[in-house]
């Protein structure tokens, strides 16, 4: 396989050399180019195996006159860059392997030796939770705030003595800040399933000493929260002053109150939801599919090999589209091209394209691809409705009984630790006269929340809660935060603060929680008191 890959690379180099032999890019010249050189002996085996020939002309039909092509072949520097990166990763020392070390610096690590039973039947025999803290815990341990992260964030929310690099919420944490470290003891963890120090797919399975990879069990938001509360137990913190989170963290913040209502004093949920909705599920599904289609993903067993960096780059580009808003990009980029003096290209050409390309490139080797799959799937599964919680509770009880009979770990390839495709593919359901939703039926997103969700959030009736949304957010639209606030009020919570930032207040879309210190930080600071 390695020889074949290098053969393809050699073919592309030969093709590129012959195309650019005049010293000019074909994009900058309409002058006929010389014919591509015949493949070398190194390339021949790859041609027999059907390898693609980039920059080459189509094969001539039998009897066709040997004339030059009408136009020069397009250059693809974006693909060349991906191939170059793959070659560099391939050439890394075999002693260390090409997989990057996913880290953001020094953290504290809580190592839990007690097993953690997961909602979908999997078990972590032991696990680590990486965390960082700011401020001081007071004498009665009543001033702790648990800060929950977004999907790809580490525990490094703010700089520390051990790690002075700015954190992802650097301006929001500190003396006199949104999370005032003169008053509060702030704790932030890397979620289980992640790759910044907590146990995840890239971690070692203690059962056999090998990396979990895709033998890692399916997770839920609730599983992540249970692991966090094991850390709180270890720190001797019985009750949180507040549970605070944005995006995925906003989901976890609500889940913490649902799972441990007597241990959470206040809840802050920013740009989150109480149940994942189809649009966000669809976008995360697309990212996972792009990643899994990268041949380097190898069904998750890429550790020690070339990681699926191309799939990760594309997945991040898709995600970035959902993180910001159209009006912001209209102002920042408009229809401007990176270099209007050059002919259009199929590679990144408009400024918005180069921005997305940069965002994907910057991310593709800084987060473990398997962690992206598992953590994003946990977001999709999130639903605090009563029925989903009841089914999960019954499933956990049944699994606990099984584990007592089988021992501490699942034996063999247990299907209860995996998810499978449905037996029948989806088929469009036509609308009916009795009011069933059809393909063109409108859906009211600001109507009364479903009773199932109201009942599911009933345990939060006595917990003061701040729910924030942003009108320009397309990933977690503002109606989802209104749904949470309305459901809480209908469940009997008389202390719900709902803040919605208009497009005039913020055009940053979903990323507003990272950028808007005045509006987001101010609202949180006022709510915490």
């Amino acid at each position: 396989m390695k020889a074949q890959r290098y053969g393809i690379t050699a073919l592309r180099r030969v093709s590129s050399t012959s195309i650019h032999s005049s010293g000019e890019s074909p994009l900058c010249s309409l002058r006929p180019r010389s014919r591509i050189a015949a493949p070398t002996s190194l390339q021949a085996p790859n041609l027999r195996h059907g390898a693609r020939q980039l920059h080459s002309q189509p094969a001539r039909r039998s009897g066709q006159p040997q004339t030059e092509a009408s136009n020069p072949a397009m250059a693809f520097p974006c693909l060349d860059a991906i191939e170059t990166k793959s070659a560099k990763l391939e050439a890394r020392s075999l002693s260390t392997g090409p997989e990057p070390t996913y880290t953001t610096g020094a953290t504290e690590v809580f190592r839990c030796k007690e097993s953690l039973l997961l909602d979908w039947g999997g078990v972590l025999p032991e696990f680590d939770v990486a965390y960082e803290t700011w401020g001081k815990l007071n004498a009665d341990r009543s001033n702790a705030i648990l800060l929950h992260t977004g999907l790809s964030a580490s525990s490094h929310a703010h700089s520390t003595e051990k790690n002075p690099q700015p954190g992802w919420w650097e301006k929001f944490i500190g003396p006199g800040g949104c999370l005032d470290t003169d008053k509060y003891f702030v704790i932030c963890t890397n979620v289980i399933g992640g790759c910044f120090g907590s146990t995840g797919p890239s971690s070692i399975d203690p059962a056999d000493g090998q990396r979990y990879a895709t033998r890692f069990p399916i997770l839920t938001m609730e599983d992540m929260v249970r692991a966090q509360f094991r850390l709180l137990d270890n720190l001797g913190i019985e009750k949180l002053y507040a549970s605070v989170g944005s995006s995925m963290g906003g989901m976890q913040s609500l889940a913490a109150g649902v799972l441990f209502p007597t241990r959470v004093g206040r809840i802050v949920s920013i740009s989150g939801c109480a149940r994942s909705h189809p649009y966000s599920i669809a976008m995360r599904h697309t990212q996972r599919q792009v990643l899994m289609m990268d041949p380097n993903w190898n069904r998750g067993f890429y550790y020690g090999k070339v990681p699926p960096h191309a799939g990760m780059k594309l997945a991040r580009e898709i995600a970035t589209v959902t993180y910001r808003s159209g009006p912001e990009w209209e102002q920042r980029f408009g229809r401007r091209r990176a270099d209007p003096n050059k002919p259009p290209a199929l590679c990144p050409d408009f400024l918005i394209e180069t921005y997305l390309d940069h965002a994907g490139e910057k991310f593709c080797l800084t987060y473990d691809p398997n962690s992206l799959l598992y953590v994003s799937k946990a977001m999709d599964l999130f639903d605090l409705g009563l029925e989903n919680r009841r089914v999960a509770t019954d499933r956990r009880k049944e699994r606990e009984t099984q584990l007592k009979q089988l021992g501490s770990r699942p034996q063999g390839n247990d299907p209860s630790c995996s998810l499978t495709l449905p037996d029948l593919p989806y088929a469009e359901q036509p609308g009916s006269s009795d009011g069933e939703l059809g393909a063109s039926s409108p859906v009211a997103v600001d109507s009364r929340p479903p009773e199932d969700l109201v009942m599911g959030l009933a345990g939060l009736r006595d917990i003061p809660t701040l729910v924030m949304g942003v009108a320009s957010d397309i990933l977690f639209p503002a109606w989802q935060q209104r749904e949470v606030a309305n459901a809480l009020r209908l469940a009997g919570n008389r202390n719900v603060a709902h803040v919605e930032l208009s497009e005039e207040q913020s055009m940053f879309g979903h990323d507003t929680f990272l950028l808007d210190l005045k509006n987001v930080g101010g609202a949180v600071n006022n709510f915490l008191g």
Side-chain angles (χ1 to χ4, degrees), residues 304-498:
K305 304 173 185 176
V306 176
H309 62 93
M312 278 290 279
K313 177 179 178 178
L314 293 174
R316 185 62 169 192
E317 290 189 36
I318 295 169
T320 303
V321 170
T322 71
Y323 293 158
R324 295 300 181 94
S325 76
E328 182 209 354
W329 284 354
E330 183 66 35
Q331 285 194 6
R332 287 179 65 185
F333 307 114
R335 288 184 43 79
R336 295 191 301 278
R337 294 174 57 219
D339 189 346
N341 295 319
K342 290 184 178 179
L346 296 179
C347 281
D349 181 21
F350 285 92
L351 282 182
I352 182 60
E353 293 177 311
T354 61
Y355 167 75
L356 293 174
D357 184 76
H358 172 72
E361 185 66 26
K362 185 171 65 172
F363 179 79
C364 69
L365 290 178
T366 61
Y367 194 76
D368 181 44
N370 282 337
S371 286
L372 178 64
L373 297 176
Y374 277 88
V375 176
S376 69
K377 189 65 180 184
M379 293 178 72
D380 292 353
L381 295 170
F382 185 63
D383 181 359
L384 291 178
L386 182 63
E387 179 61 18
N388 183 66
R389 290 179 52 208
R390 184 191 63 77
V391 171
T393 299
D394 291 345
R395 188 170 53 240
R396 289 178 63 85
K397 288 180 179 178
E398 181 181 354
R399 190 62 176 147
E400 286 174 351
T401 300
Q402 292 176 351
L403 290 175
K404 288 178 181 178
Q405 297 171 350
L406 296 173
S408 61
R409 293 193 303 270
Q411 302 297 310
N413 186 17
D414 191 328
S416 67
C417 300
S418 182
L419 295 181
T420 59
L421 290 174
D423 294 332
L424 296 175
Y426 173 76
E428 285 290 353
Q429 303 296 316
S432 64
S433 58
D434 62 1
E436 275 190 10
L437 285 178
S440 61
S441 301
V443 178
V445 294
D446 282 324
S447 59
R448 178 186 172 96
E451 192 63 27
D452 177 68
L453 185 61
V454 174
M455 295 174 67
L457 297 179
L460 305 183
R461 66 170 59 90
D462 298 322
I463 304 178
T465 303
L466 169 64
V467 182
M468 289 195 69
V470 181
S472 59
D473 189 345
I474 63 172
L475 184 59
F476 287 78
W479 67 263
Q480 294 183 8
Q481 291 83 56
R482 289 196 291 271
E483 178 181 73
V484 173
N486 290 338
L488 287 169
R489 288 168 178 152
L490 289 169
N493 191 324
R494 297 179 179 274
N495 198 347
V496 178
H498 176 228

Side-chain angles (χ1 to χ4, degrees), residues 142-423:
S142 63
N143 68 333
I145 291 179
L146 179 59
L147 176 61
H148 307 271
T149 73
L151 186 155
S152 58
S154 70
S155 61
H156 193 60
H158 188 270
S159 53
T160 63
E161 288 186 7
K162 292 183 178 179
N163 184 0
Q165 294 297 317
W168 56 266
W169 236 30
E170 183 73 20
K171 295 181 180 180
F172 291 74
I173 301 172
C178 164
L179 300 187
D180 189 348
T181 51
D182 285 338
K183 298 169 62 176
Y184 307 119
F185 178 63
V186 182
I187 309 162
C188 184
T189 79
N190 176 222
V191 297
I192 58 170
C195 57
F196 297 120
S198 295
T199 296
S202 60
S203 302
I204 300 299
D205 182 351
D208 62 3
Q210 302 298 315
R211 292 186 192 252
Y212 280 106
T214 45
R215 300 178 305 158
F216 198 77
I218 289 290
L219 292 168
T220 66
M221 292 289 109
E222 291 87 339
D223 292 328
M224 298 173 183
V225 170
R226 290 187 187 96
Q228 291 170 332
F229 272 73
R230 293 276 188 94
L231 166 64
L232 296 180
D233 293 340
N234 184 68
L235 295 175
I237 298 171
E238 179 60 30
K239 184 173 182 176
L240 292 169
Y241 182 83
S243 173
V244 177
S246 305
S247 186
M248 185 183 86
M251 301 159 81
Q252 293 179 71
S253 188
L254 290 170
V258 168
L259 291 175
F260 304 98
T262 63
R263 300 187 64 180
V264 177
R266 290 167 178 77
I267 292 173
V268 175
S269 180
I270 307 167
S271 296
C273 63
R275 54 187 181 126
S276 283
H277 293 268
Y279 177 80
S280 59
I281 294 173
M283 296 309 297
R284 288 187 290 266
H285 158 79
T286 306
Q287 295 168 49
R288 289 194 298 270
Q289 288 289 288
V290 164
L291 170 53
M292 292 164 67
M293 295 303 173
D294 186 322
N296 287 328
W297 182 62
N298 193 33
R299 297 179 182 258
F301 291 88
Y302 51 80
Y303 300 110
K305 304 173 185 176
V306 176
H309 62 93
M312 278 290 279
K313 177 179 178 178
L314 293 174
R316 185 62 169 192
E317 290 189 36
I318 295 169
T320 303
V321 170
T322 71
Y323 293 158
R324 295 300 181 94
S325 76
E328 182 209 354
W329 284 354
E330 183 66 35
Q331 285 194 6
R332 287 179 65 185
F333 307 114
R335 288 184 43 79
R336 295 191 301 278
R337 294 174 57 219
D339 189 346
N341 295 319
K342 290 184 178 179
L346 296 179
C347 281
D349 181 21
F350 285 92
L351 282 182
I352 182 60
E353 293 177 311
T354 61
Y355 167 75
L356 293 174
D357 184 76
H358 172 72
E361 185 66 26
K362 185 171 65 172
F363 179 79
C364 69
L365 290 178
T366 61
Y367 194 76
D368 181 44
N370 282 337
S371 286
L372 178 64
L373 297 176
Y374 277 88
V375 176
S376 69
K377 189 65 180 184
M379 293 178 72
D380 292 353
L381 295 170
F382 185 63
D383 181 359
L384 291 178
L386 182 63
E387 179 61 18
N388 183 66
R389 290 179 52 208
R390 184 191 63 77
V391 171
T393 299
D394 291 345
R395 188 170 53 240
R396 289 178 63 85
K397 288 180 179 178
E398 181 181 354
R399 190 62 176 147
E400 286 174 351
T401 300
Q402 292 176 351
L403 290 175
K404 288 178 181 178
Q405 297 171 350
L406 296 173
S408 61
R409 293 193 303 270
Q411 302 297 310
N413 186 17
D414 191 328
S416 67
C417 300
S418 182
L419 295 181
T420 59
L421 290 174
D423 294 332

Side-chain angles (χ1 to χ4, degrees), residues 54-176:
L54 297 183
H55 313 315
S56 63
Q57 300 182 60
R60 295 187 179 88
R61 296 177 181 174
S62 176
Q64 186 178 11
Q66 295 200 4
T67 58
E68 297 296 335
S70 300
N71 299 285
M74 186 74 72
F76 294 95
C78 51
L79 300 184
D80 295 338
I82 289 175
E83 293 163 8
T84 299
K85 174 166 281 189
S86 289
K88 288 181 178 178
L89 290 169
E90 184 76 32
R92 280 191 182 182
S93 170
L94 293 177
S95 63
T96 59
E99 182 73 3
T101 300
Y102 302 109
T103 180
T104 54
T107 67
E108 303 294 329
V109 177
F110 163 59
R111 182 153 295 162
C112 185
K113 293 294 185 179
E114 297 179 9
S115 64
L116 181 66
L117 173 63
L118 307 177
D119 276 339
W120 278 95
V123 173
L124 294 180
E126 58 187 55
F127 62 93
D128 291 346
V129 175
Y131 69 100
E132 295 175 55
T133 65
W134 303 269
K136 292 183 179 180
L137 192 61
N138 60 14
D140 61 0
R141 301 175 182 268
S142 63
N143 68 333
I145 291 179
L146 179 59
L147 176 61
H148 307 271
T149 73
L151 186 155
S152 58
S154 70
S155 61
H156 193 60
H158 188 270
S159 53
T160 63
E161 288 186 7
K162 292 183 178 179
N163 184 0
Q165 294 297 317
W168 56 266
W169 236 30
E170 183 73 20
K171 295 181 180 180
F172 291 74
I173 301 172

